Amino acid sequence: MRGMDGDTLYSIGDLARRTGLSVRTIRFYSDRGVLPPTSRSPAGYRRYDLDALARLDLVRTLRDLGVDLATIQRVLDREISVPEVAAAHAEALDVQIRTLRLRRAVLRAVAKRGSSPQEMELMHKLVKLSDAERRRIIHQFIDEAFGDLDANPDMVAMLRSAMPELSDDPTPEQVDAWVELAELVQDPDFKASVRRAAEHQAADRADGDQSGLHHELTNQIRERVEAARADGIDPASEQARLVLADLVGRYAQTFGKADTPDYRSKLLLRLQIANDPRVERYWQLLATINGWPIPPTLAPVFEWFIQALQHHPDPTTTPA
């Protein structure tokens, strides 16, 4: 059929055959005003020209991309442009994709752990948190542990600079690590333990100890103790005395002290307070979440050091 100007006109059935859409769908678009008929046949049937066919192709493309009909109508009415719609819809899809990836990661973690419904709900809630909300949980923990104390400023700065950054497509291990970390920093017993360590640091600083992190000292202690352990030296043995003298001597030199029974007693207390395995676990979890290398464990090193101090509190005592 041709219109008054000679252009070919198409029925809904013709449009269906040309586009692959169903007659029902095209009629629905027409009824909604998205595809108004160009004219009517003498019998009252709707007819469409080539412009309507192009309009229908655009509608189908936008619908396939997930754009709603109200927005499509605004595009067709030239209230907004196709590039504007594409940009907005792409941004919305980014959010949906991130949500789907997180859900997939939670489901994989649940399947791996065999989680209960309650654990699954907790995991889902924690993983859905924004980066800012995750940081807030960690900062709240740091504030409660260190906030009003003059503790080691380098330690506090390091804690505040190392935040969990869960990726948009995390592995089940990263999901597990974040859930465990979130539970850990909200554990009252762990917070109390870190608080005790912070109070001890503050007391040391009030006594003139303005020390930093001393990574080099820690590495020296680790190497010396690991060598002793590799040689099978028991911390309670007489052989451990020489090793301990070296270890305490390194601490004493670093902090400007002398190796005395009183200093060994204070050092023992310091190590016992600081040697909470959950602190080490904190850094391991953070490394897993952020994809960093997992730091080596120091727990066996300082446990040997602590036991040696307990068995040899006096540096002046000599073997019988």
Side-chain angles (χ1 to χ4, degrees):
M1 178 177 179
R2 293 185 178 275
M4 296 295 293
D5 56 2
D7 289 339
T8 301
L9 296 177
Y10 304 96
S11 67
I12 288 181
D14 293 332
L15 293 182
R17 284 188 291 273
R18 282 177 169 268
T19 63
L21 295 171
S22 68
V23 169
R24 181 179 180 182
T25 298
I26 296 173
R27 185 175 289 117
F28 171 75
Y29 289 157
S30 186
D31 291 342
R32 290 290 300 270
V34 175
L35 186 70
T38 305
S39 63
R40 296 267 181 175
S41 70
Y45 293 109
R46 288 175 275 200
R47 295 291 183 263
Y48 303 88
D49 59 12
L50 287 174
D51 287 342
L53 179 59
R55 186 182 180 98
L56 180 58
D57 282 336
L58 176 59
V59 172
R60 180 179 62 177
T61 299
L62 291 175
R63 286 297 293 150
D64 286 345
L65 290 171
V67 181
D68 60 272
L69 281 180
T71 301
I72 292 174
Q73 184 67 67
R74 293 182 65 197
V75 171
L76 296 172
D77 293 342
R78 300 184 184 278
E79 294 179 14
I80 54 176
S81 68
V82 171
E84 289 174 324
V85 171
H89 202 60
E91 185 175 343
L93 285 175
D94 284 341
V95 174
Q96 293 176 20
I97 289 169
R98 180 176 185 274
T99 300
L100 288 172
R101 284 174 172 169
L102 290 175
R103 286 177 181 171
R104 179 182 63 187
V106 169
L107 289 171
R108 285 177 174 170
V110 167
K112 180 180 178 181
R113 292 173 52 157
S115 302
S116 67
Q118 293 78 13
E119 289 174 326
M120 182 175 68
E121 182 179 0
L122 172 63
M123 292 171 69
H124 191 221
K125 287 180 179 178
L126 288 173
V127 171
K128 284 199 306 180
L129 295 177
S130 67
D131 289 340
E133 289 168 329
R134 278 191 288 273
R135 293 190 191 101
R136 191 178 305 118
I137 289 175
I138 303 301
H139 281 301
Q140 182 177 357
F141 158 69
I142 298 169
D143 288 341
E144 291 180 8
F146 295 91
D148 58 343
L149 295 173
D150 182 24
N152 188 329
D154 292 337
M155 172 63 73
V156 177
M158 184 172 69
L159 284 166
R160 291 199 185 279
S161 67
M163 289 290 117
E165 303 290 346
L166 194 65
S167 75
D168 290 344
D169 191 12
T171 64
E173 291 75 20
Q174 287 173 316
V175 171
D176 272 342
W178 163 239
V179 172
E180 185 179 342
L181 181 65
E183 292 175 330
L184 179 62
V185 297
Q186 295 176 85
D187 180 350
D189 187 64
F190 178 61
K191 288 191 287 188
S193 175
V194 176
R195 177 73 178 182
R196 284 192 297 272
E199 290 170 344
H200 193 75
Q201 290 175 9
D204 283 347
R205 286 174 59 79
D207 195 33
D209 179 6
Q210 301 297 315
S211 58
L213 294 175
H214 297 290
H215 294 301
E216 183 178 352
L217 174 62
T218 300
N219 287 333
Q220 291 173 358
I221 298 301
R222 177 179 55 80
E223 292 174 0
R224 189 70 176 92
V225 173
E226 285 180 348
R229 295 178 70 238
D231 291 339
I233 299 177
D234 189 287
S237 69
E238 291 302 328
Q239 286 180 289
R241 286 185 180 277
L242 290 177
V243 178
L244 183 61
D246 181 30
L247 299 178
V248 177
R250 293 174 188 268
Y251 263 89
Q253 181 179 13
T254 299
F255 297 107
K257 306 292 183 180
D259 184 0
T260 65
D262 182 59
Y263 181 69
R264 289 196 176 197
S265 176
K266 290 180 179 179
L267 180 57
L268 173 61
L269 178 61
R270 175 178 183 167
L271 294 177
Q272 288 173 323
I273 292 174
N275 196 39
D276 186 335
R278 292 172 296 183
V279 173
E280 188 170 76
R281 183 61 179 162
Y282 175 98
W283 292 107
Q284 291 171 344
L285 292 170
L286 192 62
T288 299
I289 294 166
N290 291 352
W292 300 340
I294 304 299
T297 179
L298 291 172
V301 170
F302 284 100
E303 185 59 33
W304 190 99
F305 197 173
I306 287 170
Q307 290 183 28
L309 281 169
Q310 289 172 330
H311 285 93
H312 310 289
D314 190 343
T316 61
T317 302
T318 58

